[in-house]
């Protein structure tokens, strides 16, 4: 479970924009009430933010702009480096999928993943390819909720794989483009 930390507890590299989430803070199922840090000004108007850390050490923050006409938009900030990987990991921690994204930072690409089911005899079956690990994880959670328990594995797709196409006006979730 993720845990919120205060701005004074946060140490490490400065976080950078990773993605936009089509979510309200109330719609996040994080098991805690978000305690927003007051007032931040970054050129897009006044806002508030919250910083989180996962059990694995992933640090990310959410920023909510107070003057935005849309109340269902938050900016996800992650550590610099492999932005796509860090956004994907934050989506998993927040139990979200690529359908919750409004945009990704320039140059960021989510790492595609493959979901595999293994039956009781050890035979493996390809369940599907996904544009990110978070999407594969969401499907795995749904399948695991069934009565008959199987083993499921998520593997990275190293070459190719499905990708995302965002609407030019950022008006909705991305479309999934299958691998060629």
């Amino acid at each position: 479970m993720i845990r919120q930390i205060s701005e004074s507890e946060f140490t490490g590299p400065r976080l950078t924009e990773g993605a936009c989430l089509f979510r309200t803070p109330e719609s996040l199922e994080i098991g805690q009430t978000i305690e927003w840090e007051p007032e931040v000004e970054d050129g897009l108007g006044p806002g508030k933010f919250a910083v989180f850390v996962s059990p694995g050490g992933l640090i990310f923050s959410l920023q909510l702009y107070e003057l935005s006409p849309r109340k269902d938009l938050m900016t996800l900030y992650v550590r610099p480096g492999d932005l796509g990987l860090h956004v994907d990991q934050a989506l998993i921690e927040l139990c979200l999928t690529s359908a919750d994204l409004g945009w990704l930072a320039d140059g960021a690409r989510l790492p595609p993943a493959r979901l595999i089911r293994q039956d009781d005899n050890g035979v493996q079956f390809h369940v599907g390819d996904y544009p990110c690990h978070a999407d594969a994880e969401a499907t795995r959670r749904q399948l695991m909720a069934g009565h008959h328990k199987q083993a499921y594995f998520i593997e990275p797709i190293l070459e190719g794989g499905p990708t995302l196409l965002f609407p030019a006006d950022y008006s909705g979730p991305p479309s999934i483009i299958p691998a060629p």
Side-chain angles (χ1 to χ4, degrees), residues 16-21 60-62 74-78 87 90 94:
T16 187
E17 285 183 347
C20 169
L21 300 177
F60 62 93
S61 75
L62 297 173
M74 290 187 285
T75 303
L76 172 65
Y77 285 80
V78 295
V87 166
L94 293 167

Side-chain angles (χ1 to χ4, degrees), residues 7 14 24 26 34 37 66 70 79 88 107-108 111 114 139 175-176:
E7 182 181 22
R14 181 182 173 107
T24 62
E26 299 78 26
I34 298 174
E37 298 278 348
E66 296 172 338
R70 290 191 59 171
R79 287 186 179 203
D88 195 23
R114 177 167 290 135
T139 300
S175 301
I176 297 175

